[in-house]
């Protein structure tokens, strides 16, 4: 059960309401995470910077690898909402999240995402070297910032036990822990 109840649209501060309206227009729904973030317009604004960072990595990762990277971060942090969200995207694109076929570049990016979420201090020279074979410095900076923002959303959802949105329930991974 959520520690903080998501706000209804009318309850939100005008600044948060405007941001929620923008999210609804852009994405067709306002999630429990965003409605919880609406308690603080500054927090909502900050975590919605995930979208521009995603747009920055899409040109060099592509849609599939961007999703795989975000999924790897979210599963490593055990974020029910985010891992289920990206699991849904993978399933809807015809992938089996439990049996992904990854090439060397994809595996490296996924490994980097997992390591960022596990312990960013533990990114080894070997892993960074593999990543640097595939990405330019500016791309690594954008990817790392995107990973950091993904971790921030995971932390938010996990700490406040934000409820999984109903539309994601069919994509939830069966697990004893959840």
């Amino acid at each position: 059960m959520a520690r903080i109840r998501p706000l209804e649209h009318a309850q939100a501060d005008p600044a948060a309401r405007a941001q929620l309206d923008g999210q609804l227009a852009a994405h067709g729904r306002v999630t429990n995470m965003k409605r919880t973030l609406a308690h603080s317009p500054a927090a909502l604004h900050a975590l919605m910077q995930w979208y521009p960072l995603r747009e920055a990595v899409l040109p060099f990762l592509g849609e599939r690898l961007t999703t795989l990277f975000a999924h790897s971060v979210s599963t490593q942090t055990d974020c029910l909402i985010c891992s289920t969200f990206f699991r849904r995207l993978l399933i809807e694109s015809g992938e089996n999240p439990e049996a992904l076929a990854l090439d060397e570049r994809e595996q490296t990016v996924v490994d980097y995402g997992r390591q960022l979420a596990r312990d960013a201090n533990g990114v080894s020279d070997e892993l960074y070297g593999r990543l640097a074979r595939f990405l330019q410095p500016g791309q690594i900076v954008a990817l790392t910032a995107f990973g950091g923002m993904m971790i921030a959303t995971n932390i938010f959802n996990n700490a406040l036990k934000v409820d999984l949105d109903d539309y994601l329930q069919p994509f939830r991974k069966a697990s004893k822990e959840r």
Side-chain angles (χ1 to χ4, degrees):
M1 176 170 211
R3 290 182 166 155
I4 295 176
R5 184 182 48 77
L7 288 178
E8 294 303 324
H9 186 269
Q11 297 172 310
D13 172 278
R17 213 171 21 244
Q19 291 181 71
L20 293 175
D21 289 343
Q23 289 297 314
L24 181 61
H27 308 288
R29 69 173 51 99
V30 178
T31 63
N32 289 335
M33 180 187 86
K34 293 170 188 170
R35 292 186 314 119
T36 303
L37 281 163
H39 284 275
S40 168
L44 177 60
H45 176 75
L47 290 187
M48 292 306 97
Q49 295 310 298
W50 180 91
Y51 290 99
L53 286 167
R54 180 182 181 276
E55 292 302 314
V57 302
L58 271 173
F60 62 87
L61 287 187
E63 191 73 42
R64 179 177 185 263
L65 189 50
T66 299
T67 298
L68 289 169
F69 177 77
H71 181 256
S72 71
V73 170
S74 299
T75 56
Q76 186 64 47
T77 64
D78 199 29
C79 178
L80 175 62
I81 290 175
C82 295
S83 64
T84 305
F85 176 83
F86 293 109
R87 181 179 168 74
R88 174 186 68 98
L89 294 180
L90 290 168
I91 291 168
E92 288 180 344
S93 70
E95 301 261 3
N96 176 353
E98 275 61 70
L100 295 167
L102 304 175
D103 64 22
E104 183 183 1
R105 178 176 182 262
E106 293 165 336
Q107 187 64 60
T108 298
V109 170
V110 165
D111 290 347
Y112 187 64
R114 285 186 183 133
Q115 187 57 50
L116 287 177
R118 185 174 25 254
D119 176 11
N121 287 315
V123 173
S124 67
D125 290 342
E126 182 275 330
L127 176 55
Y128 182 82
R130 284 193 290 137
L131 190 66
R133 284 198 327 258
F134 298 111
L135 302 176
Q136 299 298 314
Q139 294 171 328
I140 294 171
V141 168
L143 182 64
T144 304
F146 179 58
M149 187 60 73
M150 194 72 251
I151 292 165
T153 62
N154 294 173
I155 289 170
F156 180 84
N157 288 323
N158 288 345
L160 298 182
K161 300 188 183 301
V162 176
D163 291 329
L164 186 66
D165 296 275
D166 289 341
Y167 82 99
L168 292 174
Q169 289 292 345
F171 301 96
R172 187 175 180 171
K173 182 178 179 180
S175 173
K176 293 177 184 170
E177 296 87 38
R178 296 188 181 162

